[in-house]
Amino acid sequence: MLNNIDVIDAQINQQEANEFRTLLAQQNAGKTKHWDFEVIAGQFKQSNKSTDDTTFNYLQENFGIETSWKEIVEELTRLNKSGGSNVVYKVFFLARHGQGYHNLAHEKYGNDAWNEYWSKLTGDGEIVWGPDPELTQLGIDQATRNNQEWKVQLDQGAPKPTKFYSSPLSRSIDTLIKTWEDIVQLSNIKPLIKENIRETTGVHTCDKRSTKSKLSEKYSPLGFLFEPGFEEEDIYYKDDVRESVSHHALRVNESFQQIFDENEHENQVIGITSHSGTIRASLLALGHREFAVGTGGMIPVFVKGERK
């Protein structure tokens, strides 16, 4: 499931965590309202510090449930009924896209050579990984495997997400499609493509997205929508500046602020398909322990949001 690169990409050092908290406090000081997030323990094994993320296999562990799906759903419903007007609880299924051609190249050249040289190019004559690379056949197979396991878990009482969000990078959108295509009617669900849940941006050409026109031609007929203000060109990618973990977590936090605002009284269970860096940033923003997720992997998180 995991390789060494997946583990490295999930790590957050104390300086990065402290910088995020400082930036977040400064941002919140300028707002009249914001959501504070907290992970509810005892629901999923991944939030338990005793769970070894390097050996844990969510596909063999009923996605990591500590009790039963029935108890988790009942607890989610109970907490939302008793939480008060400023408190909302949600379960997020944070999915990582299946293997893309950039992941294949990253493994081929190793972490140091990839970050220092190859990631800045668009290919090596054999593999094309930028911009906006496609899924490999393994990546497609990983999404298909998730589709099969979701059917098993749904039969056992797992709650089906009623709202879906995706990164604007094609590998995430294609993973969402392959995971859910015959389980939900995407044209009715209308997944929302959001910029702020994209991968760490800058320098690595694989993290530059396609134009809105190209994405719209491919995905709008399937029911995907773009968030308001979505630009034609990728205005966030920079050739010479790589986003820090703390700044990535800050923008991911902004997405969770919007998601809680938009779904305050509905959609208790939400699916988000993104990237390893985005999941790392999401876990930091939500107050979850760091946890490595391999390509095509997924982690569920039970979250309390309190409006301050």
Side-chain angles (χ1 to χ4, degrees):
M1 290 289 292
L2 288 178
N3 59 37
N4 187 53
I5 292 169
D6 296 327
V7 175
I8 292 171
D9 284 348
Q11 293 172 348
I12 302 169
N13 64 46
Q14 194 58 51
Q15 181 179 346
E16 292 166 335
N18 290 340
E19 183 179 341
F20 163 68
R21 295 186 185 102
T22 298
L23 291 170
L24 182 62
Q26 292 171 350
Q27 186 181 78
N28 287 341
K31 293 182 176 180
T32 55
K33 294 179 181 179
H34 69 273
W35 293 93
D36 282 350
F37 303 121
E38 175 187 346
V39 173
I40 303 301
Q43 307 299 321
F44 297 105
K45 294 176 182 177
Q46 293 91 324
S47 64
N48 189 328
K49 291 184 178 180
S50 67
T51 301
D52 184 350
D53 59 345
T54 65
T55 59
F56 184 80
N57 187 335
Y58 71 102
L59 292 170
Q60 297 174 0
E61 297 276 355
N62 294 315
F63 289 171
I65 56 176
E66 291 272 24
T67 54
S68 68
W69 286 118
K70 181 176 183 292
E71 290 172 281
I72 289 173
V73 172
E74 287 177 348
E75 181 68 356
L76 180 62
T77 302
R78 183 189 70 80
L79 287 171
N80 273 319
K81 286 182 177 178
S82 62
S85 59
N86 292 326
V87 177
V88 175
Y89 296 83
K90 296 192 182 297
V91 170
F92 290 97
F93 290 99
L94 305 180
R96 182 182 175 187
H97 63 77
Q99 185 194 63
Y101 283 99
H102 63 303
N103 299 122
L104 193 64
H106 198 165
E107 291 182 40
K108 176 180 178 180
Y109 290 108
N111 201 50
D112 291 341
W114 172 258
N115 287 320
E116 292 171 11
Y117 179 75
W118 291 103
S119 63
K120 301 170 187 178
L121 306 181
T122 59
D124 64 358
E126 295 181 0
I127 306 172
V128 176
W129 58 73
D132 202 7
E134 301 288 332
L135 293 175
T136 65
Q137 184 58 52
L138 174 59
I140 294 170
D141 292 343
Q142 288 170 334
T144 300
R145 185 180 60 199
N146 281 328
N147 172 278
Q148 294 166 349
E149 186 58 29
W150 260 110
K151 291 172 182 174
V152 172
Q153 296 303 316
L154 289 169
D155 284 344
Q156 295 179 10
K160 187 187 302 181
T162 54
K163 183 70 176 181
F164 291 87
Y165 294 90
S166 177
S167 157
L169 292 162
S170 297
R171 56 194 183 265
S172 289
I173 305 174
D174 288 335
T175 297
L176 192 159
I177 292 168
K178 285 291 181 182
T179 301
W180 294 100
E181 59 187 350
D182 62 349
I183 300 176
V184 300
Q185 188 68 39
L186 292 175
S187 59
N188 293 335
I189 292 292
K190 298 189 184 306
L192 187 66
I193 298 172
K194 288 181 70 67
E195 286 278 28
N196 273 345
I197 55 176
R198 66 190 294 170
E199 181 60 289
T200 310
T201 193
V203 181
H204 296 191
T205 64
C206 57
D207 299 327
K208 183 176 183 179
R209 69 162 170 83
S210 299
T211 62
K212 181 180 180 181
S213 297
K214 183 176 180 180
L215 294 171
S216 181
E217 180 181 3
K218 187 174 181 181
Y219 300 116
S220 291
L222 301 179
F224 284 81
L225 301 176
F226 295 91
E227 67 180 339
F230 195 93
E231 298 282 350
E232 171 65 16
E233 301 293 336
D234 187 346
I235 63 173
Y236 299 100
Y237 177 84
K238 308 295 181 186
D239 285 322
D240 57 349
V241 179
R242 185 71 173 165
E243 186 177 34
S244 68
V245 172
S246 57
H247 281 91
H248 192 182
L250 195 68
R251 70 170 166 86
V252 167
N253 173 75
E254 192 61 33
S255 263
F256 280 110
Q257 298 289 326
Q258 294 166 356
I259 289 170
F260 268 79
D261 282 341
E262 294 164 358
N263 302 280
E264 183 174 354
H265 302 298
E266 56 186 355
N267 299 318
Q268 292 187 126
V269 181
I270 293 174
I272 300 177
T273 306
S274 61
H275 311 263
S276 60
T278 307
I279 291 174
R280 173 181 59 185
S282 296
L283 298 182
L284 177 56
L286 295 173
H288 194 284
R289 59 167 291 203
E290 65 179 50
F291 201 95
V293 176
T295 53
M298 184 273 292
I299 178 170
V301 186
F302 197 123
V303 179
K304 172 186 177 182
E306 183 173 4
R307 190 192 290 108
K308 296 293 184 74

